[in-house]
Amino acid sequence: MKKSAIIGLITIAICVCFLVSLNADTSSYSNFTEAAKDSREFHVMGYWEKSKGTHYDPQKDANHFSFFMKDQNGMVNKVVYKGTKPQDFERSEKLVLIGEMKAGTFYASKILMKCPSKYNNDLVEVKQDGKVEKYN
């Protein structure tokens, strides 16, 4: 085997390893404890803590919605979403928040909701302008 072929194979192997390492933790869900340790964006799955209610006053600020969510480990944390309150938020079964933790509060850039339905158990994505789209 020629030297150039060996060098080419080694280069390809290094590139593949690099690409796999970049994609290693993008598909997993975290919790609030992990999100507090790092300033990067996390996906946190959990349930709306109904007993603590929500705060949304469209007269004062239509782009500020806050609530409390319990993650999969049982930790309850305040969540702030800079957008309109998602339609049918109260009916959602499960939430996936995409965002980052700052000073003990989770700031969500996206809210994905799994709404209970007899025929459709898909996640929906709530955009910051209030539009709801199916999440693929």
Side-chain angles (χ1 to χ4, degrees):
M1 199 175 235
K2 293 183 179 181
K3 267 187 173 179
S4 61
I6 293 173
I7 292 173
L9 288 174
I10 292 173
T11 304
I12 290 171
I14 290 171
C15 290
V16 168
C17 290
F18 177 72
L19 291 174
V20 168
S21 71
L22 283 178
N23 201 23
D25 65 342
T26 58
S27 64
S28 63
Y29 293 108
S30 300
N31 54 43
F32 288 131
T33 306
E34 291 175 13
K37 292 178 185 176
D38 200 347
S39 63
R40 63 187 171 97
E41 193 170 76
F42 284 90
H43 290 69
V44 179
M45 184 185 297
Y47 304 92
W48 171 43
E49 188 65 27
K50 294 178 183 179
S51 64
K52 296 195 177 206
T54 63
H55 176 72
Y56 180 65
D57 186 1
Q59 312 284 334
K60 187 177 178 185
D61 186 359
N63 290 319
H64 180 85
F65 173 56
S66 64
F67 59 97
F68 286 85
M69 187 178 98
K70 182 186 290 188
D71 68 8
Q72 293 179 320
N73 291 346
M75 183 177 179
V76 177
N77 209 57
K78 183 178 181 177
V79 177
V80 173
Y81 176 62
K82 293 292 181 185
T84 59
K85 180 180 176 183
Q87 185 178 4
D88 294 333
F89 177 81
E90 287 82 4
R91 293 182 49 211
S92 65
E93 239 177 42
K94 190 183 289 186
L95 301 171
V96 177
L97 305 177
I98 301 171
E100 60 186 348
M101 186 77 82
K102 292 180 186 172
T105 301
F106 191 85
Y107 290 89
S109 59
K110 288 185 183 177
I111 299 176
L112 307 176
M113 300 184 308
K114 181 176 182 184
C115 297
S117 174
K118 193 175 200 178
Y119 305 106
N120 184 7
N121 286 329
D122 294 329
L123 286 173
V124 293
E125 177 179 344
V126 180
K127 304 282 186 179
Q128 288 188 334
D129 60 2
K131 292 182 181 174
V132 178
E133 294 179 7
K134 219 178 209 186
Y135 186 74
N136 298 326

